[in-house]
Amino acid sequence: MTAQPRPSRSRRRATGRTTRAAGDTGRGGHRRKRRWLDYPRRGRSGPRRWIPSWRLVSAALLACAVALAGLATAVYLYVDIPDQNAEVRQEANVYYWADGSHMVSVGAVNRRNVPLSQVPRPVRDAVIAAENADFYSDSGVSVGGMARAVVNMVRGRETQGGSTITQQYVKNTYLTQDQTLSRKVQELAIALKLDHRTSKDDILQGYLNTSWFGRGAYGIQAASNAYYGVDVGRLNASQGAFLAALLKGGNAFDPFQGEKQRHRAEKRWAWILDRQVELGMMTREERARYTEFPTPRRHTRATSLGGQTGYLVDLARRYVEKRTGLTDAQLERGGYQIHTTFEKDAMRRLGRSVRDALREVHPDRREKDRHVQIGAASVRPGDGAVVAVHGGADALRQFSNNADTGGVPAGSVFKPFVLAAAMQYGVDTENGRVARFLPDSYYDATGDFRTGGVPAPGSPTAAPGSPSLAPAPSADVVTLRQALIASGDVTFRRLGADTGLKRVRQLAVDAGMLRDSMAPLNKEFPLGTSSPSAIRVATAYATLADGGTRHEPYSVTKVLREGRALPGLSRERGSRAMAELVATQTTSVLRDAAADTTGPGGRFAGMSTSERETQRVAWFAGYGDDLATAVTLFRAEPGKALLPLAGTGGKGRASAQRLPGRIWTTYMEAMAR
């Protein structure tokens, strides 16, 4: 069979055109109109009709790309950067101990915003290495990360990873935490705009201040306090790497949540340090210094106001409002750094002394031990700083601060100021001359006043016109020194009347007690019917310790907001409450009065209430070289009058009259070491 010759290329092309033309011809020979979209495809049969051509696929992809670009442009133009969330603007008020360490953060949100300049460079590098190595060069978004997030959402999985620091900051600051497609689109548009309008440093600063680190801490400053108890500026590179690890999930990387969490934290901490070496942020020599995991301190509630903390915060807050004029509403907005005078060590020792003394009080076994309350305060002579208080068992259960409330009569701890007033102002005699007392003065058998002993050189007692110095009194005569030691009511009732009750009141107020706490001026006034707080009693005794110079008690040294100090907190100069000689002579009597409680040797000066006064209240107040402290004990139910103390604490060392002295002595000896 003879082979047919192969058609030429031109003929094949012509035949193809003829075939296609024929294919466009319908029934009756009419030519079909060409379709704009040839799908399903003509001239194909079976499954081939449904397979799109490469031209159709390319056109479809191009159309999608144009549509997406248009949509992205529309979203970018339509979505603007919104106002920040209200929560982001909220900060805690941070209270600090006297040594500058963190005491407590108080507020709805535990956050304190800090400028980027206060965050050490290694800490910033750790965050960037962990979260977004290209932060300073990217456009603010990660397309790959967004794609993974969208795919995970479609699959119903958790959306995590891939977001830039800018995107995370946008989510923290401007949007909700909802994981939806619309929120992701908003996040993308806002991140692009924010990166265009805002510096990278400002974005990083905002991110560090808004991120969640676990333990109730928002922001790097709160996290630094929560995990290491220091301000962020004191963090080292190793600690910074651990805090950066927490950005993956605070609870999931907290070493004290369990062994699994600790292992996870150590592994990521090491990876972040190695990553910094890889990125050139840290040398290998620097990395070699950090081989031990920087275990944070155990978790404590940073915003807890339980125990004594609530009392301290209340004292400091009211002092700030009084001195600066800030209102409650202004303080509630947060953002204040309040530096107090309270000393951690003093608070710890005072609390321990109270707990040790109360171990012998058993309200579960003895009815008369129920409702026992303790109040105590320590004030530093020379400047008036309140270094420690005991306000009650727990500020969350008992809001009233026993260290700073009145209503508890001072009793015999008030009598030293009657003696001081007598020595300061003297007594108007019948002949019109002023006679001034000495500690060893006395009333003789006839009731006349006699100046016993020899006055110190320059004493007002040696002035012309004073009664002649009498020899030492007989055994049946009680000197003022002896009367004070024995809490002699008869002598001090007479002494107060002779000196003048208004003068006694004035000296007590000048020494530091509040006029509002003074009782009516009747014959019982010199016996301590007034009810100053423990802080004010300690202040008055501090005046005696400082040679008669009174310093107003204060609990706050400075308040900062946005790096600026508030005015109104400068300390006042001391004022003269009594002559130095009067304070010195009163101190000599109080050294003798304290001997039974604090031991011989004159190390401390102090005064206690007597056993007959413990029907309702027991006190001990006194001072050493550099600290004045007052302790009070009473029984009270909320809203009711003071209950009897008779029988409280049983007999012996735990009796109600002895407990304040035991607390005082244990605490003051510990502070003097």
Side-chain angles (χ1 to χ4, degrees), residues 58-378:
S58 299
L61 291 176
L62 179 61
C64 288
V66 171
L68 287 175
L71 178 62
T73 302
V75 170
Y76 182 84
L77 294 175
Y78 176 77
V79 176
D80 201 359
I81 300 176
D83 293 333
Q84 293 181 347
N85 296 328
E87 292 80 4
V88 173
R89 296 191 294 271
Q90 288 183 329
E91 296 182 62
N93 290 324
V94 184
Y95 292 80
Y96 296 90
W97 294 104
D99 63 2
S101 60
H102 177 261
M103 178 198 300
V104 68
S105 298
V106 179
V109 177
N110 182 20
R111 176 192 291 114
R112 176 192 156 195
N113 295 332
V114 293
L116 190 64
S117 59
Q118 291 186 15
V119 182
R121 172 62 68 178
V123 178
R124 291 185 247 169
D125 288 344
V127 171
I128 292 173
E131 294 296 307
N132 187 183
D134 299 327
F135 169 69
Y136 278 102
S137 60
D138 65 25
S139 62
V141 300
S142 170
V143 177
M146 291 292 292
R148 286 193 299 273
V150 171
V151 170
N152 286 335
M153 277 190 297
V154 171
R155 293 179 177 179
R157 298 177 181 176
E158 181 182 0
T159 58
Q160 59 181 7
S163 294
T164 64
I165 284 177
T166 305
Q167 288 175 259
Q168 294 179 60
Y169 172 55
V170 167
K171 180 176 65 175
N172 294 341
T173 307
Y174 301 104
L175 302 173
T176 68
Q177 299 298 315
D178 296 337
Q179 301 289 354
T180 62
L181 182 59
S182 62
R183 210 274 296 150
K184 279 290 182 183
V185 172
Q186 282 184 294
E187 176 187 308
L188 177 64
I190 295 172
L192 288 169
K193 280 194 172 182
L194 194 68
D195 188 79
H196 179 70
R197 299 179 184 179
T198 309
S199 71
K200 289 288 190 178
D201 281 350
D202 285 345
I203 293 173
L204 181 59
Q205 173 179 295
Y207 174 68
L208 291 174
N209 282 326
T210 57
S211 294
W212 164 254
F213 287 84
R215 294 192 179 185
Y218 287 89
I220 191 71
Q221 172 65 25
S224 181
N225 287 327
Y227 289 92
Y228 293 106
V230 299
D231 283 343
V232 64
R234 296 169 59 184
L235 293 174
N236 60 37
S238 181
Q239 293 168 331
F242 167 71
L243 293 184
L246 294 171
L247 292 167
K248 278 292 184 184
N251 293 333
F253 290 84
D254 189 335
F256 291 103
Q257 294 287 336
E259 285 300 319
K260 182 184 295 184
Q261 287 84 347
R262 182 177 182 87
H263 175 73
R264 187 184 295 136
E266 291 180 356
K267 184 176 180 181
R268 185 159 179 82
W269 162 79
W271 177 83
I272 291 173
L273 290 174
D274 292 338
R275 179 67 169 158
Q276 288 178 260
V277 174
E278 180 184 337
L279 296 172
M281 297 174 171
M282 179 184 293
T283 66
R284 295 189 180 278
E285 291 74 20
E286 291 174 319
R287 171 66 180 91
R289 293 203 297 265
Y290 304 115
T291 58
E292 184 177 348
F293 179 69
T295 302
R297 64 181 185 176
R298 286 191 174 275
H299 180 28
T300 57
R301 290 189 177 276
T303 56
S304 172
L305 295 178
Q308 299 302 304
T309 306
Y311 301 125
L312 300 181
V313 168
D314 181 59
L315 279 174
R317 181 187 180 105
R318 288 191 288 112
Y319 183 82
V320 168
E321 290 178 354
K322 178 181 177 181
R323 295 296 300 271
T324 66
L326 285 176
T327 64
D328 280 340
Q330 289 173 312
L331 278 174
E332 285 296 332
R333 296 172 189 163
Y336 294 93
Q337 295 86 59
I338 302 170
H339 294 258
T340 73
T341 59
F342 308 126
E343 298 178 4
K344 280 189 293 188
D345 189 53
M347 286 293 300
R348 178 178 57 83
R349 290 177 174 176
L350 180 57
R352 180 185 299 167
S353 299
V354 172
R355 290 191 299 273
D356 289 347
L358 290 180
R359 285 197 180 101
E360 299 181 47
V361 177
H362 303 286
D364 55 332
R365 300 204 302 265
R366 290 197 298 259
E367 176 66 25
K368 293 181 179 180
D369 284 356
R370 296 183 63 190
H371 308 300
V372 169
Q373 300 283 342
I374 298 289
S378 280

Side-chain angles (χ1 to χ4, degrees), residues 497-509:
D498 287 349
T499 304
L501 299 182
K502 289 184 178 180
R503 288 175 172 175
V504 173
R505 180 179 63 187
Q506 188 59 52
L507 186 134
V509 171

Side-chain angles (χ1 to χ4, degrees), residues 527-539:
L527 306 185
T529 54
S530 299
S531 54
S533 67
I535 290 177
R536 287 294 172 169
V537 171
T539 299

Side-chain angles (χ1 to χ4, degrees), residues 410-416 484-487 541 590 593-594 596-597 606-611 613 618-622 657 660-661:
S412 287
V413 298
F414 185 81
K415 291 175 181 175
L484 184 64
I485 294 171
S487 297
Y541 274 74
L590 290 176
D596 285 345
T597 301
M607 187 68 194
S608 68
T609 48
S610 65
E611 291 188 20
E613 293 179 287
W619 283 86
F620 192 96
Q657 190 269 338

